[in-house]
Amino acid sequence: MADKRVVVAAPRGYCAGVDRAVITVEKALDTYGAPVYVRKQIVHNRHVVENLQQRGAIFVEELDEVPVGATVVFSAHGVSPAVHTEAADRQLKTIDATCPLVTKVHHEARRFAREDREILLIGHAGHEEVEGTAGEAPEHITLVESPEHVADVQVKDPSKVAWLSQTTLSVDETLATVSKLREKFPLLMDPPSDDICYATQNRQLAVKQIAAHSDLVIVVGSANSSNSVRLVEVALEAGAKASYRVDDAGEIDEAWLEGVSSVGVTSGASVPDDLVRGVLDFLEERGFPPATEERLTEENLVFALPPELRRDLRKGAVND
């Protein structure tokens, strides 16, 4: 129908860190043979995990589930030093697929700790990235989950306080939390560069661009994907009349489409684009026109594979 439109945001889907992590598991399976163990979900997407399981990856919660001497990949979200120590004790061959932007936050945590600063880590309790970063300097780090939690934050020395953040948060909410922290601790030190990753920021800005003229915004991403969940919140704050997160087109409730003429579609940073294509096909089958893309910016960043994997790839196939 002429009065209906579908707009798909860009950038969307895979970021450089996710792409690197997924390729790391695929190359590890090709190089070492199945099974390859992966601690936690390699990235927070159910479809990606299921696909890698079919290829021979075995996902575990903790390293005590991995046989001694086996190969294990650490997820894109990073791990604490204690996990590295446990892997060495169990004589595991480790491949660290931590996103380099998360590794940067780990470096910042260690540096602030060496300077004996208290670190206020903005993030979500229980998220794997937060657990990994907190593990770098546990005696120095206090978690701050939202602007509302700032009132409860206590520090020993207000002149020696710094902040860091989980890389996948809402940019706006993080800035609001930092603002509240700075009101309470005027000498609060910033990290040397923004911790919110470029891909998270770009996807949030891109969804803002389409949300303002959308009756409905559909975000493709898994429930445990922090950046996907944030996209729903950002879309609503930016003017979308309604917004929902789905793992795939099969989770769309047709009732959402009633009275809707303009639909925006985007996806989180760990989502393969074929899942977005499935949503667009679903909409076309229900009378919506083919989607037009609104692109905010180009993304050209590529991260090298983990050095331990690159070394073995250079040597040639192992365990033929």
Side-chain angles (χ1 to χ4, degrees):
M1 292 171 59
D3 59 341
K4 289 188 176 182
R5 69 191 296 256
V6 177
V7 175
V8 62
R12 64 181 177 276
Y14 272 15
C15 62
V18 164
D19 196 42
R20 172 184 187 260
V22 174
I23 291 172
T24 293
V25 178
E26 291 172 344
K27 294 282 190 188
L29 286 164
D30 291 345
T31 303
Y32 311 115
V36 166
Y37 292 83
V38 184
R39 183 184 180 275
K40 309 288 189 182
Q41 291 192 354
I42 185 66
V43 297
H44 285 160
N45 185 269
R46 178 169 62 83
H47 289 275
V48 171
V49 168
E50 289 172 358
N51 180 55
L52 291 171
Q53 282 175 322
Q54 289 167 8
R55 296 183 58 166
I58 297 177
F59 290 85
V60 299
E61 283 300 302
E62 298 299 343
L63 293 184
D64 60 11
E65 301 170 60
V66 181
V68 171
T71 297
V72 63
V73 178
F74 295 145
S75 81
H77 309 103
V79 298
S80 69
V83 174
H84 285 283
T85 300
E86 183 185 357
D89 291 344
R90 291 181 58 77
Q91 300 174 328
L92 301 178
K93 177 181 178 62
T94 59
I95 301 171
D96 190 353
T98 302
C99 174
L101 299 179
V102 174
T103 300
K104 175 182 78 74
V105 180
H106 287 196
H107 290 324
E108 291 164 353
R110 291 196 297 271
R111 180 174 69 84
F112 283 145
R114 284 196 302 272
E115 295 169 355
D116 201 29
R117 296 185 186 277
E118 288 185 71
I119 302 163
L120 305 178
L121 176 60
I122 302 169
H124 298 300
H127 191 280
E128 289 146 45
E129 183 186 327
V130 165
E131 291 177 352
T133 300
E136 293 288 347
E139 68 285 358
H140 287 265
I141 287 179
T142 299
L143 184 64
V144 183
E145 291 204 71
S146 70
E148 292 70 38
H149 289 137
V150 170
D152 300 327
V153 175
Q154 302 295 324
V155 300
K156 295 193 291 288
D157 184 352
S159 71
K160 298 198 74 175
V161 184
W163 70 273
L164 296 172
S165 81
Q166 182 181 330
T167 64
T168 55
L169 299 179
S170 156
V171 176
D172 294 335
E173 186 177 11
T174 300
L175 291 175
T177 304
V178 172
S179 178
K180 288 271 190 188
L181 286 171
R182 202 176 301 286
E183 287 175 19
K184 188 168 184 177
F185 308 112
L187 298 178
L188 181 72
M189 178 174 277
D190 295 326
S193 60
D194 191 352
D195 285 345
I196 305 291
C197 93
Y198 78 96
T200 297
Q201 295 189 51
N202 285 346
R203 279 147 192 72
Q204 289 178 17
L205 290 170
V207 83
K208 282 183 181 181
Q209 186 170 282
I210 67 169
H213 51 75
S214 295
D215 297 324
L216 168 67
V217 171
I218 297 173
V219 176
V220 186
S222 289
N224 63 339
S225 166
S226 177
N227 74 88
S228 298
V229 173
R230 299 290 84 71
L231 287 173
V232 173
E233 298 169 359
V234 171
L236 291 169
E237 289 164 3
K241 294 186 178 73
S243 182
Y244 301 97
R245 181 207 55 79
V246 298
D247 254 305
D248 53 48
E251 295 186 356
I252 297 174
D253 184 341
E254 296 204 33
W256 299 343
L257 304 178
E258 291 174 12
V260 166
S261 60
S262 58
V263 182
V265 179
T266 190
S267 60
S270 48
V271 177
D273 213 46
D274 63 310
L275 298 179
V276 175
R277 182 69 257 168
V279 169
L280 301 181
D281 289 345
F282 177 97
L283 292 171
E284 284 189 46
E285 288 162 8
R286 282 149 187 84
F288 285 85
T292 57
E293 183 177 83
E294 282 193 22
R295 177 165 291 280
L296 174 79
T297 186
E298 296 290 339
E299 289 180 349
N300 301 309
L301 185 61
V302 177
F303 292 133
L305 292 173
E308 55 271 38
L309 179 58
R310 293 203 311 271
R311 186 173 57 244
D312 287 344
L313 287 171
R314 281 196 300 270
K315 283 186 207 169
V318 175
N319 296 341
D320 282 343

